[in-house]
Amino acid sequence: GFLTLDEETSSATLNEERSLATGDGHIELDRKLIFDARAALESAIDLVGPALARAGVRDFPTDVTLLANLCAVLGRAEDAQLTSQLPPKHLPDSPGGAESPGAARVACEAAIATEPSAGAFNNLGLLLARGGDDAAAELAFRSGLELCALEVRVSCPEAAEIWSNLGSLLRSDPTRSAEATEACEAAVQLAPDSAALLANLGAAQSEHEPAAARASYERALSIDPGSHNARFNLAVLLLRHGEADGAALAFEALLAAEPRDEGARMGLARALAELGRFDEAIALSRDGARLSALDEEDA
């Protein structure tokens, strides 16, 4: 995968006729999608070719694996709003106007049409979720999990990530919090030493099981003390439940690691205010305003 959905910002072969089912029909994955994605793939290879040559890489494959990787790379670029900075020739045209799928989605769907894989469905689900199409994103995640279930004789390393991403998606619907927690628990069962998945589990538990959420965050931090999501979300949880002292310590640790973390700064100011340390809270807010002004000048 190339992205992970988190609380606060924050990769079977089927028949020749392949399509991605939706609740009200099918999104056809036709040959044009494949050609568009392969055009983007070839342009991307041209773009990175000199660097690959310097690194001694030869015979870079233009196969379905690379299509899936292109899906991931373009998805990261789109999510970071970097796509517009790439030379136009390196992105496929999107026929049909603004509602047509972007380059990343074209690559994901082409990878799935060529050879469906759990990873490609995961990446597609993330793209759809980022775009606000929750129903289609859920379908993509569940399609990836179905492929994992079919791969009984081989491992499916993407399964844990897909379960966690599905849980993050479901968490956005308050009526599905139990399903969200179950999905994140399934992820942690598959990868119990992943701080990122434990932090995601904590996020799913935080509204209805605060004690369990705290345990998940603390376990994540015991594995990776540098986990920003786990520490930030733990601080938010502590502040929400009246433990301003512990919240302040957590926010202070975040600011020590990243002095320009505005979310941590605001959280710390609130925690200090709740502790009656108003002068410190005001000074902290002023520091934040000064840093924001400097950032605007540098922009």
Side-chain angles (χ1 to χ4, degrees):
F2 64 92
L3 294 170
T4 300
L5 303 178
D6 56 52
E7 182 180 24
E8 297 295 337
T9 51
S10 9
S11 261
T13 301
L14 304 181
N15 297 326
E16 284 299 318
E17 293 294 326
R18 299 184 177 102
S19 61
L20 175 62
T22 65
D24 54 358
H26 292 79
I27 301 172
E28 297 299 333
L29 303 179
D30 57 26
R31 290 182 179 273
K32 189 176 188 320
L33 285 174
I34 300 174
F35 293 148
D36 284 346
R38 289 198 178 281
L41 179 63
E42 291 168 1
S43 293
I45 292 171
D46 289 341
L47 183 64
V48 301
L52 291 172
R54 287 195 298 271
V57 177
R58 299 289 186 270
D59 301 322
F60 200 46
T62 57
D63 57 13
V64 65
T65 301
L66 197 53
L67 269 176
N69 290 340
L70 177 66
C71 157
V73 170
L74 292 178
R76 183 183 294 276
E78 288 182 5
D79 188 64
Q81 298 182 336
L82 296 175
T83 305
S84 61
Q85 300 177 23
L86 296 176
K89 75 171 187 174
H90 294 301
L91 294 175
D93 293 331
S94 293
E99 295 183 359
S100 296
R105 180 168 172 178
V106 167
C108 287
E109 291 180 337
I112 291 169
T114 306
E115 183 179 333
S117 70
F121 273 118
N122 184 42
N123 287 335
L124 177 60
L126 287 164
L127 285 171
L128 293 167
R130 296 287 185 186
D133 193 343
D134 289 357
E138 180 178 353
L139 178 67
F141 289 140
R142 294 195 183 279
S143 295
L145 291 171
E146 287 179 5
L147 286 181
C148 283
L150 291 174
E151 297 174 359
V152 293
R153 295 185 180 179
V154 295
S155 64
C156 186
E158 304 89 352
E161 183 181 343
I162 299 174
W163 274 118
S164 191
N165 288 335
L166 176 60
S168 294
L169 180 72
L170 296 175
R171 195 175 71 242
S172 64
D173 182 347
T175 68
R176 306 184 71 180
S177 59
E179 292 178 76
T181 299
E182 289 174 0
C184 290
E185 287 174 342
V188 170
Q189 287 177 1
L190 291 171
D193 295 326
S194 169
L197 300 188
L198 282 163
N200 230 20
L201 173 58
Q205 297 167 322
S206 61
E207 288 297 326
H208 303 288
E209 303 175 73
R214 179 171 182 168
S216 294
Y217 292 142
E218 290 176 345
R219 184 177 164 198
L221 289 169
S222 72
I223 295 170
D224 178 11
S227 173
H228 179 280
N229 285 340
R231 194 171 301 280
F232 185 89
N233 293 338
L234 175 60
V236 171
L237 183 71
L238 294 174
L239 190 58
R240 186 185 301 160
H241 291 277
E243 297 187 46
D245 278 322
L249 290 173
F251 285 129
E252 285 173 348
L254 289 165
L255 277 177
E258 179 46 69
R260 293 181 183 269
D261 187 334
E262 189 58 27
R265 186 179 305 279
M266 293 174 61
L268 179 55
R270 179 178 166 185
L272 292 173
E274 292 195 10
L275 292 169
R277 296 160 61 181
F278 299 111
D279 290 344
E280 293 174 75
I282 293 170
L284 194 66
S285 298
R286 287 175 177 166
D287 285 344
R290 178 179 57 81
L291 289 173
S292 295
L294 290 174
D295 288 341
E296 289 178 4
E297 291 177 4
D298 293 339

